[in-house]
Amino acid sequence: MRIAIINHGIYPFWVGGMERHTHFLAEHMADQGADVTAIIPEITAEQTGQWNAMGNSYKLAQFPWPAAKLWLRQNYLFTKQAAPFLREGKFDAVYCQGFNGWSYLADTHPTQRALTLYNPHGLEMFKTVGLEQTLKGWPMRWAGREQARLADRVISLGGGLTDEVRRFLRVGDDKIDILGNAVDIDFIRSFPVPEPTRETGGPVRFVFVGRLEFNKGVSFLCEAFQGLEGAHLSIVGGGPLEGELRGKFAGPNIEFAGRLDDATLFARYHQSDCFVFASLYEGMPTVILEAMTCGLPVIATDIGAVTTMVDKDNGFVVQPGSSAQIRDAVRKFIALPAEAREGMGEFSRHRVEARFTWPHAARATLDTIERHLMARKA
């Protein structure tokens, strides 16, 4: 089976959830026998050498990234360059990440197209706040609906996102495939686990990992922890709100750790008792899966596909934008016996191993593609 997956970047040369998703999905589909080509913007000669040294199982096809001013137009023009390659490559399926693939869908007659799958991920363009951002997001909302209309299949990461795909993209259930996100547990476990450093009678240690920007809800998280006895919050990450948040909330029980390299980050997970996540809107955050892989219970807001990862067995789910609900969940977690907390952490670890590894995700994607290709031939 020949599969193309197209995106505006790929890990490790671009850092982001969609870029990591593209790399790991391509790699593991190729490991399971598919002939996979990732279509990306051109990378440098040095990066090409680095990619070759990685020994990846999939191929790259590179096209120049357009110099247009608007992000949406850049995506359109990028995939316009790639469209002839897609048409001539005799691919069985084309997997479009975000707005990538839009031109191929719009400019290619359905009889000349491969089976096309569109993954809109978190649908952030439909969740803007304020008139200015809402108006700026209108072209992307239109483009998202148009791409969903043209594609053969639309992917939901699951949970509440499936209803959002129906509602925002105006897609029926007969066109939706639920294919969740995943995490590279072997990569995470390749880093050493630090020795326990917990002080007897010390505070319960919570950790947040993410970019410090509005949609992550970090201000609500800090408000929940400010002055909370028996709890210590470590905030890992940087971003446009870092200075403001530090100035307002840094204190005895709230630490801003900044950006950390992978080894230090995974050590921080292992040195913590619980992961907290307060996003106002998002898709299926891989940081939650990373924390679960490290054996952490989770307190998270009910956004996107969070409820596919977190429930009463391994944590608490709260409403977004509520410092009071976060604070209440933190207090409930602190009040649990140590054995109950450890049991939640073990449940997190086992859930990832059973449902959220890349071999699982790749197999589910390949099975879905095969099923729809068979239906086409029938």
Side-chain angles (χ1 to χ4, degrees):
M1 187 192 315
R2 298 199 70 212
I3 300 171
I5 181 167
I6 182 167
N7 192 24
H8 54 252
I10 201 163
Y11 175 83
F13 312 117
W14 287 265
V15 179
M18 199 181 295
E19 290 78 7
R20 293 178 74 91
H21 185 276
T22 300
H23 164 71
F24 286 112
L25 181 60
E27 179 72 6
H28 286 276
M29 287 195 299
D31 284 345
Q32 295 185 36
D35 181 356
V36 182
T37 300
I39 299 171
I40 63 166
E42 285 181 331
I43 57 178
T44 66
E46 181 181 352
Q47 289 172 329
T48 300
Q50 182 182 347
W51 189 85
N52 290 334
M54 290 168 65
N56 293 306
S57 305
Y58 63 95
K59 301 185 286 288
L60 290 183
Q62 303 176 45
F63 295 89
W65 185 251
K69 292 182 180 179
L70 298 177
W71 167 252
L72 197 58
R73 181 158 178 77
Q74 286 178 311
N75 278 264
Y76 182 84
L77 293 175
F78 170 64
T79 54
K80 193 174 185 68
Q81 295 177 89
F85 174 79
L86 290 170
R87 284 191 288 267
E88 296 162 10
K90 296 182 179 179
F91 291 101
D92 297 297
V94 175
Y95 190 114
C96 306
Q97 297 274 37
F99 297 117
N100 301 283
W102 176 21
S103 177
Y104 170 70
L105 286 164
D107 299 341
T108 308
H109 192 275
T111 59
Q112 296 180 294
R113 284 200 316 245
L115 175 75
T116 54
L117 301 92
Y118 165 44
N119 189 339
H121 287 267
L123 295 164
E124 284 85 356
M125 63 277 201
F126 290 94
K127 304 169 187 177
T128 50
V129 177
L131 179 61
E132 182 181 355
Q133 292 302 314
T134 299
L135 291 173
K136 285 182 178 179
W138 182 88
M140 288 185 282
R141 293 193 291 277
W142 175 84
R145 289 189 180 118
E146 183 67 3
Q147 195 158 328
R149 182 184 70 82
L150 293 168
D152 296 302
R153 310 298 307 171
V154 179
I155 294 170
S156 165
L157 297 173
L161 272 176
T162 304
D163 183 59
E164 292 177 354
V165 167
R166 296 188 194 104
R167 186 158 41 99
F168 293 142
L169 298 181
R170 300 167 185 169
V171 174
D173 286 344
D174 60 339
K175 197 173 181 175
I176 298 173
D177 290 307
I178 299 174
L179 296 168
N181 211 338
V183 69
D184 186 352
I185 62 175
D186 291 333
F187 174 73
I188 294 171
R189 291 174 180 173
S190 69
F191 294 95
V193 176
E195 292 295 324
T197 58
R198 179 72 179 272
E199 297 177 9
T200 303
V204 178
R205 298 166 299 185
F206 297 81
V207 62
F208 162 85
V209 178
R211 185 167 166 77
L212 304 186
E213 56 189 358
F214 173 77
N215 73 296
K216 297 296 185 180
V218 185
S219 60
F220 296 103
L221 186 61
C222 290
E223 287 172 1
F225 275 86
Q226 198 167 35
L228 185 58
E229 189 174 346
H232 180 273
L233 173 63
S234 179
I235 295 174
V236 177
L241 297 182
E242 182 175 0
E244 177 185 335
L245 291 168
R246 279 180 182 271
K248 188 175 181 181
F249 294 111
N253 76 320
I254 299 178
E255 167 204 7
F256 286 83
R259 295 179 177 88
L260 302 178
D261 60 45
D262 285 336
T264 310
L265 170 62
F266 293 122
R268 183 64 61 99
Y269 281 131
H270 286 293
Q271 291 164 343
S272 302
D273 300 299
C274 183
F275 183 75
V276 284
F277 192 78
S279 271
L280 305 178
Y281 53 86
E282 202 155 340
M284 188 174 180
T286 54
V287 288
I288 292 179
L289 294 176
E290 289 176 353
M292 290 169 61
T293 302
C294 295
L296 290 185
V298 179
I299 297 171
T301 45
D302 187 4
I303 49 93
V306 159
T307 55
T308 67
M309 302 177 284
V310 184
D311 57 23
K312 61 182 177 60
D313 292 319
N314 70 325
F316 300 87
V317 178
V318 301
Q319 289 304 303
S322 174
S323 299
Q325 286 198 22
I326 297 171
R327 193 177 183 94
D328 184 56
V330 169
R331 282 176 167 156
K332 287 178 179 177
F333 182 80
I334 292 172
L336 290 172
E339 296 79 7
R341 295 183 209 155
E342 291 170 6
M344 282 181 162
E346 280 300 304
F347 203 98
S348 281
R349 185 182 289 111
H350 293 319
R351 178 170 284 171
V352 171
E353 292 169 350
R355 293 169 49 188
F356 297 112
T357 67
W358 277 114
H360 282 97
R363 185 69 262 160
T365 302
L366 291 172
D367 288 346
T368 297
I369 292 171
E370 288 173 359
R371 185 173 71 252
H372 293 307
L373 289 174
M374 291 294 292
R376 272 187 158 195
K377 294 175 182 177

